Amino acid sequence: MGDTLPSTEMEAHDTPDEHLSFMRSQWREFAAFAWEKYQSEGRGAVVIDLKRASKNGARFQVPTFYLAEGSERLRERGGWPSQEVAAVIRDYDPRQDVVFIFLRLNGEAFHYDASDEMTPPKAYQSKRSRRRKWR
């Protein structure tokens, strides 16, 4: 999954307020993606990799992927960024919440446990319904 941000300087997008704005602007897609991955891979987080963003015309292409607890990919990364993140992954409710990890330009990782009235299962069902309409 890759998402885009309007092109200014990437540093302008690497603030907590901008992280929240990004999550809100694409909540439905993120929630559906998180639920689909939870169903197939288990507990985990949606990772937004600001460090690897690339400019694509007037926007930045931002690599986004799911990192699952106990996965080979998580082992390759050396585990969760902190014990706090590991605890959030262990305790979040995937039917209500999406855990996001933003890999920041300065090398830090910020995490958010986010929820919305459009729960991950509802977002996933909505996405599937939209796909069926176009077939």
Side-chain angles (χ1 to χ4, degrees):
M1 181 175 185
D3 295 291
T4 62
L5 290 168
S7 180
T8 55
E9 295 297 321
M10 180 48 71
E11 292 80 5
H13 296 291
D14 193 10
T15 67
D17 285 342
E18 286 295 316
H19 297 170
L20 293 173
S21 177
F22 187 51
M23 288 184 290
R24 280 188 202 108
S25 72
Q26 298 186 50
W27 174 259
R28 186 179 295 258
E29 292 81 12
F30 284 140
F33 176 66
W35 183 251
E36 180 178 17
K37 292 298 188 176
Y38 167 74
Q39 293 290 302
S40 63
E41 299 178 31
R43 292 181 161 285
V46 174
V47 180
I48 313 295
D49 193 348
L50 297 176
K51 293 187 318 183
R52 297 185 65 210
S54 59
K55 198 147 188 175
N56 184 6
R59 300 179 74 76
F60 283 101
Q61 186 69 30
V62 182
T64 304
F65 57 93
Y66 189 82
L67 195 55
E69 177 69 46
S71 68
E72 181 62 29
R73 192 173 199 179
L74 180 62
R75 281 190 288 284
E76 289 170 359
R77 297 183 73 82
W80 297 114
S82 68
Q83 289 300 321
E84 183 180 359
V85 172
V88 169
I89 297 297
R90 187 176 52 249
D91 296 336
Y92 83 103
D93 180 353
R95 292 185 171 281
Q96 298 294 320
D97 306 326
V98 176
V99 177
F100 291 90
I101 298 173
F102 279 76
L103 301 179
R104 301 193 65 205
L105 298 175
N106 65 6
E108 293 178 354
F110 274 16
H111 73 278
Y112 304 87
D113 184 351
S115 61
D116 189 86
E117 287 181 20
M118 174 61 73
T119 65
K122 286 180 187 176
Y124 180 73
Q125 283 305 110
S126 175
K127 179 181 174 182
R128 289 186 56 165
S129 294
R130 286 191 310 263
R131 275 192 209 148
R132 278 182 263 179
K133 287 180 184 178
W134 290 100
R135 287 185 186 179

